Amino acid sequence: QVLLVGSGGGVVQPGGSLRLSCAASGFPFSDYAMHWVRQAPGKGLEWVTFIHFNGNNKIYADSVKGRFTVSRDNSKNTVYLQLSNLRLEDTAVYYCAKNRGGSLGLDYWGQGTLVTVSS
Amino acid sequence: QTVVTQEPSLTVSPGGTVTLTCASSTGTVSSGSYPNWFQQKPGQAPRPLIFSTSNKYSWTPARFSGSLLGGKAALTLSDVQPEDEAEYYCLLYSDGAQPWVFGGGTKLTVL
């Protein structure tokens, strides 16, 4: 079955960096685009970034553009999110999610990993 | 940037029917927005329910249905069960710099 396991979250100071990972299994990873979505404590879902199946096309939300970088290693079935120049408002649970295909949506989600930005 | 609006909260009685809607600040929501619906319970990851307006996943209960209604995307729950109490989010796609936008969520209370 499809499984997405996120890791790498933790506590970091403002201005700091962190790298999140999402290990995928149960589907042909290199055939599918992936997303990252975040959720601040007590708030709604916010789409963060998308990476094409081959890593050649990446799209970011304005709120993270220039600070976050998405990448993938298809040989390791893993997608990454590098978080830099972190702000207090980046505190959230970060979910990776599999793209269903085309623009159809997000059909499988990881369990989420918590990033806390605090001084 | 597109803003997607949902009802903040709704209340329904067990066995009843309720419709949640999802509107776009850019205008009419069409099938080209590929509306998705997700259910989220406290402490859990979102669970996909509907994709591309009205298509269900294998795990989506039959009482959930998606549609377009009055220029909005809609999620209708029939014969509501106590376990349907949750937050529901819609997701719309558009051609642009910010292709995917979530609605603010609807907190559904079953009472």
Side-chain angles (χ1 to χ4, degrees):
Chain A
Q1 77 281 19
V2 173
L3 197 58
L4 298 171
V5 179
S7 61
V11 181
V12 61
Q13 292 187 336
S17 299
L18 209 56
R19 189 177 83 155
L20 307 183
S21 300
C22 173
S25 60
F27 67 99
F29 180 73
S30 60
D31 288 348
Y32 288 92
M34 297 292 292
H35 299 260
W36 287 92
V37 175
R38 68 182 180 182
Q39 186 170 36
K43 302 296 185 183
L45 300 173
E46 179 187 13
W47 174 82
V48 174
T49 185
F50 162 96
I51 182 168
H52 205 233
F53 68 92
N54 60 13
N56 286 349
N57 185 24
K58 305 172 186 179
I59 310 172
Y60 298 92
D62 284 344
S63 58
V64 307
K65 201 174 295 183
R67 301 187 300 120
F68 290 10
T69 302
V70 63
S71 62
R72 65 190 294 159
D73 186 338
N74 285 347
S75 69
K76 296 182 178 179
N77 286 1
T78 300
V79 61
Y80 304 97
L81 185 63
Q82 177 71 42
L83 289 66
S84 302
N85 192 18
L86 282 161
R87 305 168 179 168
L88 296 177
E89 57 265 33
D90 294 320
T91 294
V93 174
Y94 285 75
Y95 297 101
C96 59
K98 171 184 168 291
N99 194 60
R100 180 174 176 82
S103 310
L104 293 179
L106 287 60
D107 58 356
Y108 289 92
W109 294 58
Q111 86 285 9
T113 185
L114 176 62
V115 173
T116 302
V117 183
S118 173
S119 55
Chain B
Q1 182 173 332
T2 302
V3 176
V4 177
T5 302
Q6 300 181 241
E7 297 86 0
S9 63
L10 291 170
T11 300
V12 61
S13 300
T17 297
V18 65
T19 296
L20 289 63
T21 67
C22 175
S24 172
S25 62
T26 62
T28 297
V29 176
S30 69
S31 58
S33 299
Y34 303 100
N36 276 238
W37 291 94
F38 303 88
Q39 177 192 67
Q40 188 180 35
K41 296 182 179 180
Q44 297 182 13
R47 176 192 181 204
L49 292 175
I50 300 288
F51 67 95
S52 198
T53 305
S54 58
N55 294 277
K56 300 180 186 182
Y57 291 93
S58 59
W59 54 79
T60 304
R63 60 183 182 275
F64 290 83
S65 63
S67 64
L68 296 175
L69 198 63
K72 302 178 184 181
L75 177 70
T76 299
L77 288 70
S78 306
D79 187 25
V80 172
Q81 301 298 304
E83 60 265 29
D84 297 334
E85 183 163 294
E87 193 86 23
Y88 291 84
Y89 294 93
C90 67
L91 173 68
L92 299 181
Y93 171 86
S94 64
D95 287 325
Q98 307 285 285
W100 289 275
V101 181
F102 283 96
T106 295
K107 182 175 175 57
L108 182 67
T109 301
V110 181
L111 204 60

